[in-house]
Amino acid sequence: MKTLRKIILAMCVVLSGLIVLPPQARADWVQDVNEITRLMQAGDYAGAEQFSTACLASGPRGILFSGTGTLLIHHWRGRARLLLGNFAGVTEDAEVIIRADSSFFPPDAGYALRGVAKALQRDVPGVTQEFDTLAKLDKSGMGENLRKGGFHAERAIARLLGDDLEGADADLKAAIAIDYGFVGGDHMASSKKAWAEMRVAIEKLNDGANSQAHEAFVRARTIMATGPGISNSSDFVLAQLLVNKYARQQVRQQAVVEDELLLQAQQQLNGGNRAEAFRLYAQAFVKGGSSATQNKALGGMALIHPTLNPRPGLPEEARRFLVQSRSFVAEKNYPKAIELYDSALKIAPWWASAHFDKALLLEQMGRYAQATQSMKHHLLLAPAGEQAREAQDKIYEWEPRLEREASGESIRLKARGVAATPSTSECFIATAAYGSALDPHVATLRSFRDAHLLDNAGGRWFVARYYELSPPFADYLRGHAAARSVVRALLTPLVLLIAYPWQALASVLAAGVLLLGGWCMRGRLSGHA
């Protein structure tokens, strides 16, 4: 019993010391990794690389496992560089991990980084060499099955990038078959779901259904980014590489379809069949994946429309969507209103005023690049229309904001001296309560929404209801300072729990340990008495 009391007392001393240490002395590199995670999941890969470099230059904050923190940040930076195509930088990070030969963060990650980088460079012998070396590493001991599963999963990615579908499927099957026990927990359960989606994608690729394969890879990426127990893992980067690869293939295929439609439209126009040419131009706009295609299609429609008899008007189904959008505009539910405008424009892309109104809705959401594009569409269709002057002036008005966005000055969070650009979709109540969409509390809530609510049906339903119901309350808050204070007091604990979940858990555990330590100390003192 005395031995047990001594062990518990020692634990209390260590944990109590960690509690009273200043923040910079604890494992604050975890916060750095959380920030890198957020940047990566927001698609700001350059920002993630810059932030990682700043962290490594100053040294990961804290003394607890800071060596492991350094390697983990190198790994994150290496994966960001994979997406940026900085293969020399990937090699640099990989070699740091390999040389460290850490038992807490083994060299497997370094060899896999180099192997995937070589796959992206189409260096098949190099891929084989890296993964053969990785296969020979001693993986026995704690986490053995996790390391074996990681080997198969990462080699599967490299093989998919090199179009070795059969080999990739065999690796994914092997990774799924491994029993990870309680060590992997929810993380590995989510990983297995993602790998299963990749096998579905391979099946679709073998069937020639590239679009469906791309959708399966997107599902895998979503699971790897937001699945239970996996939210701080960088594994989603590997799925993102596959999403990018097959998205590029789709773009190339789409470009062929678009070019064919534009060519057919031009041929019909040259042959005097203006009505058919107009229909083909409208179809090219709807299918158009690039602004260049859409601009050519609109230019063609603008040329032909005045010459048709009768001129195409606004179809009833398109009118229905536009009328329905009015109620959502009145409620300031701009995302839903824009969705309805898009539906109308798929039916009648030649309706100039719809492009104009959509641009103004996009402006309300701060999406100035898209608003500018929609306003230019309006001008292509109606260059001399009654709204042309106002449309051009709006484009002038938005130009400085676009320049600020391009230079990273639009929405900025300070983190170790590096700016990060979060999602700009508005959180109405939080923005009203804290006074600005730029407030870090609002950014935390917005990131939580993007990562944990928009990836499931229940969460999407909640967000949709929020957008429907919250604007009037947000308007009330803007005019009542006392109400804003109350809402801030209610939201701030939630924000802290979202931003620092481990610290919250640690506080609860530490309190329990201190109580237990007090009990042991009391027993020890009574024993002396």
Side-chain angles (χ1 to χ4, degrees):
M1 187 66 178
K2 289 183 178 180
T3 302
L4 176 61
R5 290 181 186 276
K6 288 180 179 179
I7 292 172
I8 294 175
L9 280 170
M11 290 173 59
C12 293
V13 169
V14 172
L15 288 174
S16 300
L18 290 175
I19 294 167
V20 300
L21 282 172
Q24 65 271 23
R26 298 197 295 270
D28 291 342
W29 57 264
V30 175
Q31 297 176 26
D32 295 334
V33 172
N34 289 342
E35 176 62 12
I36 298 166
T37 304
R38 191 193 64 76
L39 289 167
M40 291 285 283
Q41 292 185 349
D44 187 3
Y45 309 129
E49 181 190 27
Q50 293 168 11
F51 184 83
S52 302
T53 300
C55 291
L56 292 169
S58 60
R61 297 175 291 175
I63 60 173
L64 188 60
F65 302 114
S66 59
T68 301
T70 298
L71 297 178
L72 187 57
I73 293 172
H74 272 291
H75 190 234
W76 266 107
R77 186 174 71 171
R79 287 192 161 174
R81 287 171 165 177
L82 284 173
L83 288 163
L84 294 169
N86 179 4
F87 300 123
V90 174
T91 300
E92 172 193 344
D93 288 311
E95 288 178 354
V96 170
I97 296 169
I98 292 169
R99 285 198 302 270
D101 196 19
S102 168
S103 56
F104 286 102
F105 199 84
D108 307 36
Y111 289 110
L113 265 179
R114 287 201 312 212
V116 173
K118 289 178 179 179
L120 288 167
Q121 297 173 85
R122 314 296 290 182
D123 179 4
V124 176
V127 172
T128 302
Q129 179 184 358
E130 295 295 343
F131 282 99
D132 282 352
T133 303
L134 176 50
K136 295 173 184 175
L137 292 180
D138 181 10
K139 299 179 180 64
S140 60
M142 186 175 178
E144 177 180 354
N145 283 352
L146 287 173
R147 293 177 68 183
K148 288 179 179 178
F151 162 75
H152 284 294
E154 301 219 29
R155 188 171 67 175
I157 301 296
R159 285 175 161 175
L160 277 167
L161 292 170
D163 297 319
D164 178 5
L165 302 185
E166 184 178 355
D169 190 59
D171 270 322
L172 290 170
K173 184 178 179 180
I176 292 171
I178 293 174
D179 179 8
Y180 298 97
F182 72 92
V183 179
D186 287 340
H187 181 118
M188 297 316 299
S190 294
S191 294
K192 285 189 175 187
K193 289 179 182 177
W195 297 334
E197 287 289 353
M198 290 184 186
R199 294 195 71 197
V200 171
I202 291 171
E203 181 182 341
K204 298 300 181 184
L205 288 171
N206 285 326
D207 292 340
N210 288 6
S211 178
Q212 294 178 32
H214 178 258
E215 291 172 2
F217 283 127
V218 170
R219 291 195 297 271
R221 187 266 315 274
T222 301
I223 293 169
M224 285 187 161
T226 62
I230 204 169
S231 58
N232 267 18
S233 166
S234 63
D235 289 347
F236 77 92
V237 172
L238 303 177
Q240 185 65 54
L241 293 170
L242 297 173
V243 170
N244 293 350
K245 171 185 170 70
Y246 290 100
R248 286 192 295 269
Q249 285 189 5
Q250 280 195 300
V251 168
R252 288 193 293 269
Q253 293 168 354
Q254 181 68 22
V256 172
V257 173
E258 293 168 10
D259 289 343
E260 181 63 25
L261 284 170
L262 291 172
L263 177 61
Q264 289 177 15
Q266 187 62 48
Q267 288 172 342
Q268 292 294 329
L269 184 60
N270 293 341
N273 191 346
R274 289 172 295 173
E276 179 61 13
F278 187 85
R279 186 190 70 80
L280 288 167
Y281 276 127
Q283 190 177 350
F285 176 86
V286 173
K287 289 184 176 292
S290 68
S291 59
T293 296
Q294 290 191 329
N295 289 342
K296 289 176 183 177
L298 290 171
M301 285 187 282
L303 177 67
I304 299 170
H305 189 269
T307 70
L308 294 176
N309 187 18
R311 294 181 185 178
L314 182 64
E316 195 64 26
E317 185 65 12
R319 180 180 296 278
R320 185 170 73 89
F321 287 128
L322 295 177
V323 171
Q324 288 175 349
S325 71
R326 293 174 188 169
S327 62
F328 292 105
V329 173
E331 296 167 4
K332 297 186 179 181
N333 186 347
Y334 302 123
K336 182 62 179 178
I338 291 169
E339 180 184 323
L340 289 168
Y341 266 87
D342 285 336
S343 297
L345 286 169
K346 285 180 181 178
I347 299 170
W350 59 85
W351 203 251
S353 63
H355 291 281
F356 183 93
D357 293 340
K358 178 186 171 185
L360 297 182
L361 292 173
L362 289 164
E363 177 191 24
Q364 292 298 317
M365 295 187 66
R367 290 155 61 178
Y368 299 108
Q370 292 170 277
T372 299
Q373 184 182 43
S374 287
M375 205 60 91
K376 287 180 177 179
H377 288 170
H378 170 81
L379 288 172
L380 278 170
L381 290 166
E386 59 184 30
Q387 292 178 306
R389 178 70 273 162
E390 184 181 356
Q392 186 60 61
D393 288 347
K394 274 293 182 183
I395 292 173
Y396 292 150
E397 179 185 328
W398 296 332
E399 282 176 354
R401 301 183 185 190
L402 287 172
E403 290 171 4
R404 287 197 297 272
E405 286 180 2
S407 61
E409 297 172 3
S410 174
I411 296 180
R412 205 170 271 267
L413 297 176
K414 295 296 182 180
R416 299 290 292 270
V418 179
T421 304
S423 165
T424 59
S425 300
E426 190 170 356
C427 295
F428 297 112
I429 292 175
T431 300
Y434 289 103
S436 172
L438 313 184
D439 190 281
H441 298 81
V442 180
T444 298
L445 291 169
R446 191 163 47 231
S447 297
F448 178 81
R449 176 204 62 195
D450 294 345
H452 301 291
L453 294 179
L454 296 181
D455 71 324
N456 61 84
R460 287 191 294 271
W461 179 89
F462 174 81
V463 171
R465 300 293 79 73
Y466 172 81
Y467 277 127
E468 288 178 14
L469 302 174
S470 64
F473 185 50
D475 289 340
Y476 174 83
L477 288 178
R478 292 187 186 96
H480 297 81
R484 289 199 300 273
S485 298
V486 172
V487 173
R488 284 198 301 271
L490 294 172
L491 287 178
T492 298
L494 175 63
V495 171
L496 293 174
L497 180 62
I498 292 170
Y500 307 107
W502 290 110
Q503 288 86 336
L505 177 61
S507 298
V508 173
L509 292 175
V513 169
L514 286 172
L515 289 172
L516 187 59
W519 170 76
C520 292
M521 182 63 75
R522 186 178 64 180
R524 186 175 181 182
L525 291 174
S526 61
H528 282 302

